Amino acid sequence: MSPTRKPVEQLDVLVVGAGISGIGAGRHLKTGHPAKSFAVLEGRGAPGGTWDLFRYPGIRSDSDLHTFGYEFKPWRDRQAIADAPRILAYLRETVAENGLDAHIRYHHRVVALSWSGEEARWLAEVERTDTGERLRLSARWVFCASGYYRYDRGHTPHFEGREDFRGTVVHPQHWPEDLEHAGKRVVVIGSGATAVTLVPALAATAAHVTMLQRTPTYVMPVPREDAVAAALRRWFGEERGYALTRRKNILRQRAVWSFARRFPGAARRLIRWVNTRQLPEGYPVDEHFNPPYDPWDQRLCAAPDGDLFKAIRRGTAEVVTDRIARFTERGVLLESGRELEADIVVTATGLSVQALGGIALTVDGEPVRLADTVAYKGMMLSGVPNLVMAIGYTNSSWTLKIGLLCEHFCRLLSHLDAHGYDAACPEVGDPGMPTRPFLDFAAGYIRRAVDQLPRQGDRMPWLTSMSYHSDVRLLRSDDVTDPELRLFRAARAGGAKSPARPAAGPRER
């Protein structure tokens, strides 16, 4: 006798990932659609995503938590630029307060998703990361909240002679718990947010820390605590004080970004002036803090209370702008001929981008190549029914957009229920529409993976907005229907079959 196959569990919504986006999606489903069945699958053994994964010294947000936190849950901690343990506590409170523990399944990694137009359902192939067991789940909708980078590895370029180095080489994404850096000489390779976070944290106990960068980054000091937020809480209470602080900070983020994009020369001069006042007299600011690109071509780095600049003033940290020739037994040899001696080298060289968590997608038997798809309202993919991807802002707090996406998703579910539809699929009406990368951002980790990501168009609803106020209109106020979003019923129930995916997407620009 052949063994009886276990029945496939049927869900209304499958949420992939229990990080800040997946937890938010779960809460919106609990409150907006309490009758719908859903599960949140998390490949790791704990919630929190990024904030549970990264364990390097000083790990913190680079956005204020009044906007990076959820709109529905006030951030009550005194730190506005908060460290990871505080953010993790906030996320775990959200899970507990909203009864999400019963919906989150840990050690469950989604490997593949297959759409059936006849059933109007996704079939998910799932791997148990603790036992290796394979199982299957079926869901009407998939909300992919896995972010856009690989959790199992970061990006580390090839360094000539690395095997000759007698010290320790570590990537921040895989920081060993037993790595002792106190009293050691440390070289941090990189100049992005991770390096800017690591250097002052390490410099507190290390013998000396060098931030070795190939290209400078814009770094601005910001207050770790928000005095205005504290005053607003005292005057108006927790709920209203948080709402007012959130509104204030949204406006501030937009104003800073708009000023930098409209007046890049003035923004560059202002940042240089601030840096000069933070650094020792006579410091070579133009060599180490004057990038060759304009502000916000890449994300600005925040230094809470100017901690990086303080470490440089104390002499416990320095910045070196040069290129690596090779590793040596004692450290790193630069192209200028200088050798940086080190006991520990930290390769803060970026992330490895991976869209949709690396899940293999098929629609009615046809594999989906993400680079051939166009993002609809920044949340769905052309030719792919009933799938939402949660990608936040790159020019302000990530979670601002995630909240709006969750709201729009719940409104779309309500519309489909009210009108008897089973599915929704974006379809590009103009095959000649020019496209460009979905994440139109100059950061190195994005440029390395641009050919693996979806595209965006040059007009709504295919243009991916990076403006919170524009998205409030698009995702919260405007109708959920659109001429280029096809709604249909399952073919099995007598409705139309899901649309065939086009052989090629719109032309690239």
Side-chain angles (χ1 to χ4, degrees), residues 256-264 267 294-298:
V256 170
W257 183 83
S258 298
F259 174 76
R261 302 310 291 164
R262 187 174 180 183
F263 306 107
D294 287 333
W296 276 113
D297 281 353
Q298 298 186 30

Side-chain angles (χ1 to χ4, degrees), residues 115 230 252:
W115 170 261
R252 184 185 63 189

Side-chain angles (χ1 to χ4, degrees), residues 1-61:
M1 293 176 62
S2 60
T4 303
R5 190 159 193 172
K6 186 177 179 180
V8 176
E9 182 181 0
Q10 308 285 312
L11 299 168
D12 290 311
V13 183
L14 176 63
V15 179
V16 181
I20 194 165
S21 302
I23 292 170
R27 190 270 181 185
H28 278 276
L29 285 168
K30 282 275 289 188
T31 56
H33 289 277
K36 289 193 180 297
S37 60
F38 73 94
V40 182
L41 302 193
E42 170 56 53
R44 305 177 71 252
T50 294
W51 305 106
D52 183 68
L53 171 70
F54 286 93
R55 304 295 178 92
Y56 60 81
I59 172 68
R60 57 166 173 80
S61 65

Side-chain angles (χ1 to χ4, degrees), residues 43-206:
R44 305 177 71 252
T50 294
W51 305 106
D52 183 68
L53 171 70
F54 286 93
R55 304 295 178 92
Y56 60 81
I59 172 68
R60 57 166 173 80
S61 65
D62 61 354
S63 299
D64 73 275
L65 263 295
H66 300 97
T67 55
F68 190 71
Y70 300 117
E71 185 172 12
F72 58 80
K73 179 174 172 59
W75 175 256
R76 294 182 168 88
D77 196 279
R78 59 183 176 81
Q79 286 190 358
I81 304 296
D83 54 42
R86 296 169 192 252
I87 299 172
L88 263 180
Y90 173 82
L91 294 177
R92 288 170 179 167
E93 279 182 9
T94 306
V95 169
E97 290 169 358
N98 291 278
L100 297 178
D101 293 287
H103 296 269
I104 301 177
R105 304 177 190 182
Y106 298 109
H107 301 293
H108 282 64
R109 183 173 70 91
V110 179
V111 177
L113 290 167
S114 304
W115 170 261
S116 166
E118 184 177 2
E119 301 285 343
R121 299 189 72 90
W122 286 100
L123 182 65
E125 299 287 342
V126 181
E127 178 187 44
R128 287 289 304 258
T129 57
D130 52 349
T131 65
E133 176 192 0
R134 289 288 185 119
L135 54 104
R136 299 189 303 162
L137 299 172
S138 175
R140 287 286 186 200
W141 280 84
V142 172
F143 188 100
C144 192
S146 57
Y148 62 79
Y149 68 89
R150 293 187 62 156
Y151 273 40
D152 59 339
R153 74 180 189 205
H155 172 72
T156 302
H158 171 74
F159 293 114
E160 191 69 32
R162 174 172 169 170
E163 65 280 1
D164 298 331
F165 179 53
R166 293 182 177 178
T168 301
V169 180
V170 59
H171 192 284
Q173 193 165 324
H174 306 285
W175 196 272
E177 290 185 10
D178 59 351
L179 180 61
E180 182 55 67
H181 62 270
K184 302 291 182 67
R185 297 164 300 175
V186 184
V187 172
V188 178
I189 302 173
S191 60
T194 301
V196 169
T197 298
L198 266 168
V199 170
L202 295 171
T205 57

